[in-house]
Amino acid sequence: MSKPSAELILRNGQFTTLDRGNPQATAVAISNGCFSAVGDDDEIMRLASSNSQVVDLNRRRVIPGLTDSHLHFIRGGLSYNLELRWDGIPSLADAMRRLKEQVARTPAPQWVRVVGGFTEMQFAEKRLPTLDEINAVAPDTPVFILHLYDRALLNRAALRACGYDRNTPNPAGGLIAKDSNGEPTGLLLAEPNAMILYAALAKGPKLPYEYQLNSTRHFMREMNRLGLTGAIDAGGGFQNYPDDYKVIEDLHKAGELTLRIAYNLFTQKAGQEVSDFTRWTKMGKPGDGDGYYRHNGAGEMLVFSAADFEDFRMPRPDMAPGMENDLEAVVSILASNHWPFRLHATYNETISRALDVFEKVNRDIPFDGIHWFFDHAETVTDVNLERIAKLGGGIAIQHRMAYQGEFFVQRYGSKAAERTPPYKRMLEMGVKVGAGTDATRVASYDPWNALYWLITGRTVGGLSLYPEANLIDRETALQLYTQANTWFSNEEGVKGQIKLGQYADLAVLSDDYFEVPNEQIRNIVSVLTVVGGRIVHGDDEFGTLAPPLPPAMPDWAPVQHFGGYFKPSRAVSSGPVMNRQAEALCGCDTRCSVHGHAHGRAYQNAVDITGQGGFWGALGCSCWAV
C-alpha cells in the first residue's frame, strides 16, 4: 500500500530525531499535522505531489520543538506588549538607554515596566540602576522594575501612582524602604514574601481585551522564534481562573494558537484552597481539551502555607506549623479525583514535609500512576530523591540558579551550590526530570540560556556553579527540553520526537546546537518553526514562509521597537548595517563623548562580536544619561 502524499516536506536538513530507532534523518514528510515519514531525501521526496510544499533546509540542524515544563505563559501574554525587556541585555548602560527611549514614547497614564527576566549579574557593571538614575530619565512617567523576586524599583511617579506614602504600612513578609524623613524611597523588598512585588505591579494599567489578544499572539511568536512549540503553564499569582484564561481560550477557538499549552490551576486565595479545588474538580478533568490547549491538573501552588519563596538573599523561610494539614486536605481531593499535581518547593526542608503528606495520602488513596511532581527543588537531597522515585514522582527543574547563583553562593557557599539542583543525580536515581525556565519574572523564557546552564553549569553572569561530574551532555539536555517533558503534561508518545505519527513540531536552528562552542549556545534561535505541520515562524532565508503578525498594540509598545529577548549574534551584522544597529543600541541623542557614532568600527575592533557587554562595559558608555 503506497503512502499518502505529503502536505509539507522539509529536506536537506540534519535532523536530530531523539528516536533511538531512527536517530538521524535528512528529510521529513508531514500530513494532517503529524510526521508521516522520517528518512533520507530520496525516500521522502517520493511522497511529494504537485500540492506538496517543499522546503530546502540548507543542511541546517533540526530538532524536535522545545517544550518548557514550567512557564507562566498565559499570565505573561496578557502584558507582554506592555513590558520593556532587559532579557539578554549585556550592560546596564544599554538597559538604561532603552528605558530612557521608552519613557519618551510612553503616553500618560501608562507605566514603563521591566518585569523580571534579567539579573544585575548579566550586566557588565554588575549592578542595578540607582533610584536617582531612574528618576533622572523618568521624572514624570511611572517606572516599575522587578528584579527576580527579591525587589522592585519604583520611581517617584510610580510611588504616587501606587499611592505609597509615609503612612503606608509594610505588608507581612515585605518592606517598603523609607528615607530618614519617613518617605518611601522607591525600593520594595521581599523579606522573603514576594506578594509586595505582585501587589505593586497589579496597580498598573492593564491592556484592554483586544490588545491582550494581540499581546498574547506576539508572545507566542517570540516563543516560536526561540524554537518553543509547547509550554506547560504553571498558573501564577494574581491569575484568576477562568477570567484570565478567556484570551487564550478565544485564541484557541479561533485557531490562532502557535504554541501547545497544557495548563495547571493555581489556588487563588489563602484559606480557600479546599474550596478552589473542590469546585474545579467538578468543573472538568485533566486531559480536557485537545493537542493545542488542554487541562493538566493542579499547581504549582496547592496551599499558600507551603510557599517557600526563593529569595536566596534572605534566610530560608520555615513553613507554617499547620502546612501539613492544609496540604493533606488538598492532595486528598486531588488523589480522589485522580488529578495530576505539581508543588512549588525550593528547599529540601519543604520537600521533606511535603513528602510526609504525600506518603500518608498515598497509603489511604493510592496515587496509582498519577503524574505528580515538585517544581524547582534546588537543595533536594538523595534521601528525598529516593522517596520521590519510590512514590513515582518527578521534578521539573528550571535555570533559576543561572540568575541567582551568585546570591546563593554568597549565603551558603560554593560547595553547597554544587547541587542546586542535582539534576544529573536525579536522572541517575530514576526520578522523572523535565526542564524549563519559570519565566517570565524570576528568570527569562529563553530556552537556550537554560540549555547552556544545564550543559555548562554557569550563570548568566559567568560564575561556574557545578563541577563537571554534575553536568549533562547536549543530547541529554535537549531530551529534557523535549521528550522528557511529555511526562509532565501526560503526552508521552504524542510529541517530543521527530517520529512517525507524532505531532509535527520542530525547530530549524540558526546554528548547529551540537557543533557550536558552549558560549554560542545562548545565541541560538530558530529560523523556521513548525507546529502541527504549520510554519509559524520564519527568519533568514525562511523569512517569507510564516504568516505575518499584525503590528503590536498599542503602537508605543516596547516590543514594537525593541523586540523580545536580545541576542547579540542576531542583532549585529557587518558593514553599514552593523553601524546602524550599534547606533540604535546606543540610543544617543547626540554624539557620545566616549564612542561617538563610529560604533561599527569600534565594534569590528572588539575581540568578540557576540560580546556587546565587553564593548559597552569596557568603554563605560553612559550616554543614556544625557
Side-chain angles (χ1 to χ4, degrees), residues 403-604:
Y403 290 80
Q404 302 187 69
E406 289 85 352
F407 306 132
F408 187 97
V409 169
Q410 289 168 13
R411 177 167 292 277
Y412 298 106
S414 57
K415 186 66 177 176
E418 290 182 356
R419 287 174 45 107
T420 51
Y423 46 86
K424 186 173 184 179
R425 185 65 177 146
M426 294 174 187
L427 292 169
E428 292 170 348
M429 297 182 69
V431 175
K432 299 290 187 181
V433 182
T437 61
D438 197 9
T440 56
R441 296 177 179 176
V442 73
S444 179
Y445 49 75
D446 178 26
W448 300 101
N449 257 337
L451 287 162
Y452 169 82
W453 165 77
L454 286 166
I455 295 159
T456 68
R458 290 185 175 274
T459 69
V460 295
L463 177 66
S464 180
L465 292 172
Y466 316 136
E468 189 69 28
N470 290 2
L471 303 176
I472 56 178
D473 61 58
R474 296 189 190 197
E475 183 169 335
T476 302
L478 179 61
Q479 197 267 343
L480 293 185
Y481 236 102
T482 53
Q483 183 184 5
N485 274 342
T486 64
W487 183 89
F488 294 82
S489 61
N490 294 272
E491 294 176 290
E492 294 166 289
V494 174
K495 65 178 190 177
Q497 299 165 286
I498 298 175
K499 186 176 181 179
L500 182 66
Q502 291 200 13
Y503 292 147
D505 302 345
L506 58 81
V508 181
L509 304 182
S510 59
D511 300 284
D512 192 333
Y513 167 70
F514 290 100
E515 297 294 335
V516 296
N518 283 343
E519 293 303 317
Q520 294 299 316
I521 291 172
R522 295 172 60 189
N523 292 333
I524 292 174
V525 296
S526 175
V527 292
L528 183 70
T529 306
V530 175
V531 180
R534 289 188 300 154
I535 295 173
V536 297
H537 164 74
D539 201 355
D540 292 357
E541 68 266 41
F542 311 112
T544 61
L545 298 182
L549 275 180
M553 301 165 61
D555 58 7
W556 52 265
V559 67
Q560 183 84 334
H561 301 272
F562 298 117
Y565 191 99
F566 176 75
K567 299 271 187 173
S569 64
R570 308 302 294 172
V572 178
S573 181
S574 60
V577 173
M578 178 169 63
N579 294 349
R580 291 195 300 272
Q581 289 171 333
E583 288 185 19
L585 279 169
C586 173
C588 297
D589 294 325
T590 60
R591 289 176 58 88
C592 173
S593 62
V594 176
H595 52 60
H597 274 146
H599 306 79
R601 291 189 297 276
Y603 219 104
Q604 287 170 318

